[in-house]
Amino acid sequence: MAENGLTAQTARELLDRFGPNTLPEVKQNFFLKLLKRVISPISLMLLAASALSYFTGRIFDAYFILVLFALNLGITFWQENKADNAIKKLNQHLATSVKTLRDGVWKMVDSALLVPGDVIELSTGDVVPADGIILSSTNVTINESALTGESLPKEKNRKDTVYGGSFLATGLVTIAISATGAQTYFGKTLFSIERSRKRSFLEQDVVQIAKFLSVLSVLAISVLSVVFFFKHVPLSELLTLDLSLMIAGIPISLPTVMTLIIEFGVLALAQKNVIVRRLSALEELANVNLLLTDKTGTLTYNRITIQDTLAYDSSAENVLGFAYLSSKSDDHNLISKAIVDRAGKLRGDWEGYRVEDFTPADSERKRSTTLVSRDKEHVLISVGAPQIIAKQCDLDLKTRVKFQSDVAAFAGKGYRTLAVATTGSGKKEEHMRLLGVIALSDTIREDAKQVIDFMRANGITVAMLTGDNSAISEEVARRLDLNHGKVISKGKIEELGYDKVTKQMFQETGAFAEILPDDKLKLVQAAKKYFVVAANGDGVNDLPAVKEANVGIAVKTAVDALRATADIVLLTDGIAVIRDAILESRKIFQRVYTYSLYRISESLRLIITIAALGIFYQIYPLTPLQIILIALLNDIPIISLAFDRVKVASRPSKINVKERFILSSLYGLTGIGNSLILFVIMVNILHLDWRVVQTIYFLKITVSGHMLIYVAHTKQRWFKFLPSREVILATTITQLLATVIALTGLFMPAPISLFWVAIVWIWSFLWMQVAELSKIFAQDVKPVGQAGAASVVSA
């Protein structure tokens, strides 16, 4: 296998032969997808209602139901495809590029364009993009948990095989690609792996709502069927009526509508540069009340600059120069880039050395090690954490005291330090010569403090987790007003024990300092006993903690392995985008709540009203066609709720099932009461023609039902916080359409006059205020779990 890579021309030819380095997507045939929709329960019921209408002589009704069926199918299909296509486009943001040797030059190539024979270079945190053979390696361990389930990394050396889907836990490696796409080990076994996914609370909630309303509908239909059977209603007509009520009452489309609301919410998040990799994570994100955040790139700009260089037994130029020799082999690292940029134009004793061997830093070693040579001279260079480098050096008391004092002084200014040491005595890092210290800074983001204050006001505690020492951490926490700069070090936590870390400690601590990846994991585990935890990170060593958190967040600069594991991936730097993600998820949560509240109350109103009239009057107040028309007219405003304007809760959002049921029942009882009263007035007092009664009833149920959206979508008075333009437009169109149908008598038993249209609108509006009063009553008795607490931000 060639170790000098491929030419661009050969790579193109092999790409045509082997195809892109992607796993084949299982695309469902359009007609199979359409057939799946056609044979869904709601579709079969519509088709059955149409067939029964046809065989009972109602030819027009039969064809009209078919038209409504096709219209409903088309709208649903279009909306789902629109959302699915948009979601697929988001995945382009997660595409990775790989350092690849092409035409003898290292260049970044899209991993999808890799072919067998390509030579690639990977470093710590990179995902292995395809199967291959190791050509060279330095301190390489690879995590293959995605393939084997084993969590511990395996050491890998030259000629060992690596598999696509694993990732580099430590080291630097050069690989020759041997298989891509479906021919990789992961590609061949992908479809034999069983994947189970626990349902989120929202998904379980949807199922419970559907079950409840389905049972209620079936009970009502069963009772009515018995009543009308003994009344000798023809069986075909009875079946048509039952099917119609089932279509209107059972929320078979509930999961679909919920999914649309969530998917459109995901698209809104994408516009804020937030990619959601797990839809159910949105629920946890809306409930997050503790953010354990990294410092670099989140609270700071992640622009490393060299502030100062102190030399001990050398010159400042040589301190930077030898650090440069150790950094140029790790130029993807931000600290290394800063050193390379500063030292690249300097001159000194370090010139002319050639790098022979390089071992990159990791969270355990906390230093990089480089062997360089010039003529017959060999020099070993260590660059890393001051406390680690100091242990490798022979320091007299005076130098040690000055060294510690200098490091502490830099820390007091919020600077991070690197120590540089060399030895020419061999390849062991011992008895080294301390050259000096490099002070690095990463400027705090201008918006960080403001965002932290905002999140605190919105029920989210923020604590910083950092590997920096206590002095640096305290300075950064103080500037950001993270609990007045209070810091707890790793040593203090270990004395106490991670299992003894209390809720109060998380709430009163600004930063946890000197934290290693394992400590971060333990802190996340401890915090989950009291909070819904979000944790972010950028390195492969953050992966266990990010994975353990309720919501794992990969920041913009995160390594590929972390991006592939995290629930949320950020495309811009800073903590502001995390705030936006949390607030946007609360909007989605609120829209889901509004829809479920509205859907429960509407089903209760329609089912119980028709059941009550059927039992006491032994009549159906609506024709089957009217019931189906009402159900389908409801779809338009229901879909528009995915774009509704909502208030974002000032506290984490959590659905209180009991309180929501109470409120939806109050809305439903209000609707049932006004429907029965109107029916009694029309039939028992005014003795209106039965056909006119049915048309009035159709208009009343449609108009009043859509007015309820204005009440249900906000905890405020409905006129103080109107829905979005999309919802207002949708409800207005459906109400006007229902009014025109009622006036003209189109599809109705008989037309009604403008007088009765006006009465219906006035009646519906007045009872809308009664529903508003029931909301006020419920809130006065006990705060309703609509969004958790007082709303402060609208959208």
Side-chain angles (χ1 to χ4, degrees):
M1 186 174 292
E3 297 190 10
N4 56 355
L6 302 172
T7 64
Q9 177 62 34
T10 302
R12 282 193 294 270
E13 292 172 358
L14 290 173
L15 186 64
D16 291 337
R17 177 181 171 187
F18 292 102
N21 180 38
T22 56
L23 294 176
E25 183 181 358
V26 181
K27 292 185 177 180
Q28 191 172 14
N29 181 278
F30 173 80
F31 293 103
L32 289 176
K33 194 173 181 181
L34 183 63
L35 179 62
K36 186 178 177 181
R37 284 287 172 203
V38 171
I39 62 174
S40 68
I42 188 69
S43 297
L44 291 175
M45 284 191 284
L46 282 167
L47 293 173
S50 175
L52 286 169
S53 297
Y54 182 85
F55 288 115
T56 55
R58 296 193 297 273
I59 306 299
F60 175 81
D61 288 6
Y63 285 115
F64 185 69
I65 291 172
L66 283 177
V67 170
L68 292 179
F69 161 73
L71 183 63
N72 183 61
L73 189 67
I75 290 174
T76 304
F77 213 84
W78 174 69
Q79 288 286 0
E80 286 187 355
N81 277 342
K82 181 180 175 182
D84 289 344
N85 290 334
I87 294 294
K88 287 177 184 177
K89 288 182 180 179
L90 296 183
N91 291 330
Q92 296 173 1
H93 291 292
L94 300 178
T96 59
S97 295
V98 183
K99 191 174 180 180
T100 308
L101 189 60
R102 292 270 178 93
D103 294 320
V105 178
W106 289 103
K107 59 182 70 175
M108 299 306 292
V109 173
D110 188 330
S111 61
L113 302 179
L114 293 177
V115 294
D118 264 326
V119 173
I120 64 173
E121 183 179 279
L122 304 176
S123 57
T124 302
D126 287 341
V127 173
V128 180
D131 293 357
I133 306 297
I134 293 180
L135 301 177
S136 65
S137 65
T138 304
N139 190 34
V140 170
T141 58
I142 291 183
N143 187 307
E144 298 178 339
S145 57
L147 307 173
T148 65
E150 297 180 23
S151 57
L152 294 177
K154 291 182 178 179
E155 184 179 347
K156 295 285 185 177
N157 298 293
R158 178 178 168 81
K159 295 187 179 180
D160 284 347
T161 300
V162 293
Y163 300 104
S166 58
F167 68 86
L168 217 63
T170 61
L172 192 68
V173 66
T174 303
I175 299 170
I177 300 298
S178 58
T180 59
Q183 296 305 309
T184 62
Y185 174 81
F186 190 68
K188 290 177 180 178
T189 61
L190 178 65
F191 301 107
S192 66
I193 298 174
E194 182 180 353
R195 286 178 170 76
S196 61
R197 185 176 65 86
K198 184 181 177 182
R199 279 178 172 168
S200 71
F201 174 80
L202 274 181
E203 292 170 312
Q204 294 175 49
D205 186 53
V206 169
V207 171
Q208 292 303 316
I209 293 171
K211 283 182 178 178
F212 168 72
L213 294 178
S214 297
V215 169
L216 185 64
S217 297
V218 170
L219 286 174
I221 290 167
S222 300
V223 171
L224 290 174
S225 296
V226 172
V227 170
F228 287 102
F229 177 78
F230 285 108
K231 197 183 175 184
H232 305 296
V233 173
L235 182 61
S236 58
E237 185 178 342
L238 180 59
L239 287 174
T240 305
L241 289 168
D242 288 347
L243 276 171
S244 304
L245 186 56
M246 195 174 291
I247 291 166
I250 296 179
I252 297 171
S253 61
L254 180 62
T256 301
V257 174
M258 289 289 204
T259 300
L260 285 176
I261 290 175
I262 292 172
E263 287 188 345
F264 284 128
V266 168
L267 298 180
L269 277 172
Q271 293 174 352
K272 296 180 181 293
N273 294 303
V274 177
I275 303 299
V276 179
R277 297 188 68 257
R278 177 172 65 90
L279 290 183
S280 59
L282 288 172
E283 176 190 338
E284 285 93 344
L285 193 58
N287 292 323
V288 162
N289 52 9
L290 174 65
L291 172 63
L292 298 177
T293 178
D294 268 354
K295 173 174 72 72
T296 305
T298 306
L299 301 176
T300 64
Y301 280 105
N302 202 19
R303 299 179 198 145
I304 305 298
T305 56
I306 296 174
Q307 291 295 322
D308 201 355
T309 304
L310 292 181
Y312 294 100
D313 189 17
S314 186
S315 65
E317 288 78 9
N318 281 339
V319 173
L320 283 170
F322 280 102
Y324 166 81
L325 291 174
S326 186
S327 300
K328 68 178 186 177
S329 298
D330 194 22
D331 59 3
H332 71 288
N333 183 288
L334 288 172
I335 294 176
S336 298
K337 286 180 180 178
I339 294 172
V340 169
D341 291 343
R342 174 64 71 88
K345 297 178 182 180
L346 296 178
R347 296 289 178 266
D349 295 344
W350 52 275
E351 291 182 88
Y353 282 101
R354 183 177 69 256
V355 175
E356 298 287 347
D357 189 32
F358 172 71
T359 303
D362 57 50
S363 63
E364 297 299 323
R365 298 181 72 249
K366 285 189 170 291
R367 69 190 187 280
S368 65
T369 306
T370 309
L371 179 66
V372 297
S373 65
R374 183 175 61 185
D375 299 328
K376 294 183 179 181
E377 179 188 10
H378 288 81
V379 174
L380 196 65
I381 308 168
S382 285
V383 179
Q387 68 272 21
I388 300 297
I389 301 299
K391 292 177 182 178
Q392 300 170 176
C393 298
D394 293 329
L395 302 178
D396 57 46
L397 181 60
K398 182 180 178 181
T399 304
R400 184 176 297 277
V401 170
K402 176 173 171 48
F403 174 72
Q404 292 173 345
S405 175
D406 290 337
V407 170
F410 282 137
K413 296 178 182 179
Y415 298 160
R416 181 179 177 182
T417 50
L418 289 177
V420 183
T422 63
T423 181
S425 61
K427 294 187 178 182
K428 290 186 178 180
E429 294 174 280
E430 55 187 27
H431 306 298
M432 301 188 80
R433 170 190 171 202
L434 179 65
L435 296 185
V437 174
I438 300 172
L440 307 165
S441 72
D442 187 4
T443 308
I444 294 175
R445 299 182 67 88
E446 294 175 358
D447 62 346
K449 184 179 181 302
Q450 178 185 357
V451 174
I452 288 170
D453 291 342
F454 182 90
M455 294 178 82
R456 189 183 298 121
N458 282 269
I460 302 170
T461 299
V462 181
M464 180 173 70
L465 304 184
T466 176
D468 291 337
N469 64 37
S470 295
I472 295 175
S473 304
E474 185 175 344
E475 176 64 17
V476 174
R478 184 188 62 77
R479 292 184 192 178
L480 294 172
D481 192 24
L482 281 169
N483 284 310
H484 310 292
K486 182 178 179 181
V487 171
I488 296 180
S489 68
K490 168 186 170 70
K492 290 181 180 178
I493 302 173
E494 288 179 334
E495 285 179 18
L496 177 67
Y498 286 93
D499 58 333
K500 299 292 177 58
V501 178
T502 65
K503 180 178 183 180
Q504 187 177 5
M505 288 178 67
F506 282 109
Q507 292 173 326
E508 296 180 354
T509 301
F512 294 88
E514 301 167 17
I515 297 300
L516 295 176
D518 188 50
D519 304 313
K520 186 172 183 177
L521 171 62
K522 290 175 181 176
L523 283 170
V524 169
Q525 290 171 333
K528 283 177 69 177
K529 292 187 291 186
Y530 314 108
F531 303 93
V532 177
V533 182
N536 63 15
D538 60 355
V540 66
N541 294 301
D542 292 321
L543 198 150
V546 168
K547 199 171 184 180
E548 177 68 22
N550 298 99
V551 181
I553 302 172
V555 300
K556 180 185 177 183
T557 55
V559 296
D560 293 341
L562 192 65
R563 287 159 61 94
T565 303
D567 302 312
I568 307 287
V569 178
L570 309 181
L571 301 181
T572 59
D573 295 319
I575 198 171
V577 71
I578 299 177
R579 175 202 63 181
D580 292 341
I582 291 172
L583 295 182
E584 193 66 39
S585 70
R586 290 186 185 179
K587 294 179 194 176
I588 297 168
F589 205 79
Q590 178 62 39
R591 291 185 182 112
V592 170
Y593 174 87
T594 299
Y595 169 68
S596 61
L597 175 66
Y598 171 72
R599 191 64 179 87
I600 293 170
S601 59
E602 276 297 278
S603 291
L604 286 174
R605 181 177 69 123
L606 190 62
I607 295 167
I608 296 178
T609 298
I610 292 177
L613 293 176
I615 293 169
F616 294 110
Y617 283 86
Q618 298 187 351
I619 53 172
Y620 261 109
L622 297 166
T623 66
L625 185 59
Q626 286 177 314
I627 295 173
I628 292 172
L629 195 55
I630 288 171
L632 295 175
L633 280 175
N634 281 340
D635 280 352
I636 298 173
I638 280 173
I639 290 175
S640 73
L641 288 176
F643 310 97
D644 191 20
R645 175 174 173 251
V646 296
K647 286 272 187 174
V648 179
S650 62
R651 288 293 181 270
S653 304
K654 205 165 191 176
I655 289 179
N656 187 315
V657 176
K658 181 179 178 181
E659 291 175 341
R660 179 186 58 187
F661 178 73
I662 291 171
L663 188 55
S664 61
S665 297
L666 286 173
Y667 289 154
L669 289 172
T670 302
I672 294 164
N674 87 71
S675 297
L676 295 178
I677 292 170
L678 180 62
F679 186 85
V680 170
I681 292 172
M682 290 189 298
V683 174
N684 292 62
I685 298 176
L686 300 178
H687 305 290
L688 296 180
D689 181 88
W690 177 243
R691 295 178 303 164
V692 171
V693 169
Q694 288 181 306
T695 303
I696 292 174
Y697 227 64
F698 163 81
L699 180 61
K700 203 277 315 179
I701 287 177
T702 304
V703 171
S704 63
H706 295 180
M707 282 185 178
L708 180 62
I709 290 176
Y710 288 71
V711 176
H713 97 115
T714 178
K715 288 186 69 177
Q716 290 183 272
R717 306 293 82 84
W718 70 266
F719 51 84
K720 290 184 178 180
F721 191 76
L722 296 174
S724 66
R725 286 179 296 177
E726 290 87 352
V727 175
I728 292 174
L729 182 63
T731 54
T732 301
I733 288 174
T734 51
Q735 287 172 320
L736 291 177
L737 184 60
T739 300
V740 170
I741 290 173
L743 273 172
T744 60
L746 184 64
F747 317 133
M748 298 291 108
I752 60 174
S753 66
L754 275 172
F755 170 78
W756 277 111
V757 167
I759 291 296
V760 167
W761 275 83
I762 294 170
W763 179 274
S764 299
F765 183 77
L766 290 174
W767 280 93
M768 175 186 174
Q769 310 319 307
V770 176
E772 178 75 9
L773 289 174
S774 70
K775 178 176 72 178
I776 296 171
F777 170 76
Q779 291 172 352
D780 288 342
V781 172
K782 190 175 181 180
V784 178
Q786 182 166 342
S791 302
V792 293
V793 180
S794 64

